[in-house]
Amino acid sequence: MIYGIGNDIIEIARIKKAIEKNQAFRDKVFSQNEINLCEGKANKYQSYAARFAAKEAFMKAWGTGWGEGISWNEIEILSCKNGRPYLNLLAKTKDVITKENNFILHVSLSHLKDYAIAQVVIEK
């Protein structure tokens, strides 16, 4: 059963500007695993932006936004060896989500030169 669906689109330049202007933004929004992954990419800002969009999409699918104990850098979007992205929840955010039930999380990322988009489906 589908519990929630969320999607988000963002301008890559907006994320690039935020990271370059304020390193604390990067550390607040992204986990160390995500930072390591993105910094290893040829166009790291596309990867950061796609992950930012996925975090927004997750919060929309969950239905609470940033509140309710959900933290930006506790929502990780990582990649399998084959490149497929997946959501990994950490710490307090994981506790909030798993407190209700076991959910299956699906994520899709895409980007072009100027935009990144993500969709998240939460299945119960």
Side-chain angles (χ1 to χ4, degrees):
M1 178 177 95
I2 301 297
Y3 180 84
I5 299 172
N7 60 41
D8 194 66
I9 185 169
I10 188 155
E11 293 173 299
I12 294 167
R14 181 175 162 214
I15 295 301
K16 180 179 180 183
K17 182 179 177 181
I19 291 172
E20 288 178 342
K21 181 180 177 183
N22 183 359
Q23 202 70 29
F25 169 81
R26 185 190 75 172
D27 297 336
K28 177 182 177 183
V29 174
F30 301 99
S31 73
Q32 190 58 53
N33 289 329
E34 290 173 308
I35 292 168
N36 294 342
L37 188 149
C38 292
E39 290 295 323
K41 300 284 186 176
N43 191 336
K44 63 184 177 182
Y45 296 111
Q46 286 179 340
S47 293
Y48 277 120
R51 280 158 179 76
F52 183 89
K55 291 167 190 273
E56 286 274 359
F58 173 79
M59 291 182 218
K60 290 173 182 176
W62 187 246
T64 61
W66 305 337
E68 306 293 321
I70 308 288
S71 296
W72 285 96
N73 63 4
E74 293 178 357
I75 303 166
E76 283 186 323
I77 294 80
L78 302 174
S79 298
C80 295
K81 289 181 183 180
N82 66 3
R84 183 179 64 85
Y86 67 92
L87 273 138
N88 184 45
L89 303 177
L90 305 169
K92 201 172 176 183
T93 298
K94 182 178 182 177
D95 293 342
V96 168
I97 302 304
T98 58
K99 176 176 67 174
E100 289 199 27
N101 275 304
N102 288 326
F103 292 99
I104 301 170
L105 306 173
H106 305 277
V107 62
S108 178
L109 308 175
S110 191
H111 51 74
L112 295 170
K113 180 182 172 193
D114 297 323
Y115 295 95
I117 190 169
Q119 181 171 27
V120 170
V121 175
I122 301 174
E123 189 178 354
K124 195 172 189 179

